[in-house]
């Protein structure tokens, strides 16, 4: 691991805060923290944030994101919000596909963070993955429920992990530091 000791310490504190919040709020069944080589992720089950087939945040979703928001706001790293669905096709008055639903849910979470916590657009990005990145095979109702989720990732080491864009005059712009 090439992270400096201060980064590892800050990451450990962040993971500790997130896990403490999840335990305190008794959210162990609906939220979990995962750490990988690219990010610290909070994985939230979709039912806690949204009604079935909807991209509008539920009352419980507002409450939950309102509690997580200040923790995410403390970091200067980019935050990536990902929407995931199961493989059951959707076609209703609002959405022609699961891809649209997954992205609109992502956008709802992003708008919430911008509106409630004054995140700047350069701090956030969003991706709608549809059914194509399942946690588990979509072979049962229980598994499908696990695959319907929002992942909020606090990216690691932004400046060194940025990939060249192919345009030699462009460079990665670090996120402004907090004072």
């Amino acid at each position: 691991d090439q992270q400096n000791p201060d980064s590892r310490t800050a990451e450990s504190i962040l993971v500790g805060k997130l896990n403490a919040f999840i335990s305190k709020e008794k959210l162990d069944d609906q939220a979990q923290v995962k750490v990988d080589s690219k990010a610290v992720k909070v994985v939230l089950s979709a039912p806690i944030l949204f009604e079935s087939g909807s991209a509008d945040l539920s009352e419980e979703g507002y409450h939950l994101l309102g509690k997580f928001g200040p923790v995410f706001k403390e970091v200067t790293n980019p935050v990536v919000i990902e929407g995931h669905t199961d493989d059951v096709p959707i076609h209703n008055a609002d959405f022609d596909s699961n891809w649209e639903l997954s992205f609109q849910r992502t956008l709802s979470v992003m708008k919430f963070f911008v509106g409630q916590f004054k995140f700047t657009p350069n701090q956030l990005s969003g991706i709608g993955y549809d059914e194509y990145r399942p946690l588990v095979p979509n072979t049962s109702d229980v598994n499908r429920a696990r695959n319907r989720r929002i992942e909020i990732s606090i990216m690691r080491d932004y400046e060194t992990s940025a990939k060249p864009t192919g345009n030699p005059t462009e460079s990665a712009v670090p996120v402004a530091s907090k004072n």
Side-chain angles (χ1 to χ4, degrees):
D1 192 333
Q2 295 184 359
Q3 278 187 303
N4 70 43
D6 290 341
S7 293
R8 285 193 302 268
T9 301
E11 183 177 288
S12 295
I13 291 169
L14 173 64
V15 170
K17 282 183 178 184
L18 292 169
N19 278 322
F21 172 73
I22 289 168
S23 292
K24 179 183 165 213
E25 297 290 320
K26 296 176 177 55
L27 295 170
D28 297 307
D29 291 339
Q30 295 114 352
Q32 35 179 249
V33 177
K34 295 183 176 185
V35 180
D36 64 27
S37 63
K38 295 179 182 178
V40 173
K41 293 183 178 190
V42 175
V43 181
L44 300 169
S45 65
I48 197 169
L49 298 175
F50 305 99
E51 297 295 324
S52 180
S54 173
D56 296 327
L57 283 169
S58 65
E59 187 174 320
E60 191 174 11
Y62 277 108
H63 174 75
L64 180 65
L65 292 175
K67 297 275 188 165
F68 273 116
V71 178
F72 296 136
K73 187 67 175 164
E74 288 178 15
V75 300
T76 58
N77 303 53
V79 176
V80 178
I81 316 249
E82 301 175 2
H84 299 267
T85 65
D86 60 27
D87 66 345
V88 176
I90 187 172
H91 183 78
N92 63 25
D94 296 318
F95 307 105
D96 287 330
S97 69
N98 279 331
W99 177 75
E100 287 183 42
L101 175 62
S102 69
F103 184 75
Q104 288 301 318
R105 286 180 170 180
T106 298
L107 187 59
S108 291
V109 174
M110 291 173 63
K111 285 180 168 181
F112 178 82
F113 284 143
V114 169
Q116 295 296 312
F117 296 102
K118 306 303 181 222
F119 275 78
T120 59
N122 71 329
Q123 289 174 282
L124 294 174
S125 60
I127 304 168
Y129 279 118
D130 192 351
E131 67 192 71
Y132 296 107
R133 295 205 179 178
L135 293 175
V136 293
N138 282 298
T139 54
S140 67
D141 289 342
V142 171
N143 282 4
R144 284 184 191 92
R146 285 191 61 202
N147 289 330
R148 293 188 299 267
R149 67 196 187 281
I150 291 286
E151 294 185 7
I152 302 171
S153 299
I154 299 158
M155 304 309 291
R156 286 184 169 182
D157 200 8
Y158 178 64
E159 292 178 80
T160 60
S161 66
K163 302 285 185 250
T165 61
N167 182 343
T169 61
E170 291 181 10
S171 62
V173 179
V175 175
S177 63
K178 308 282 189 250
N179 293 333

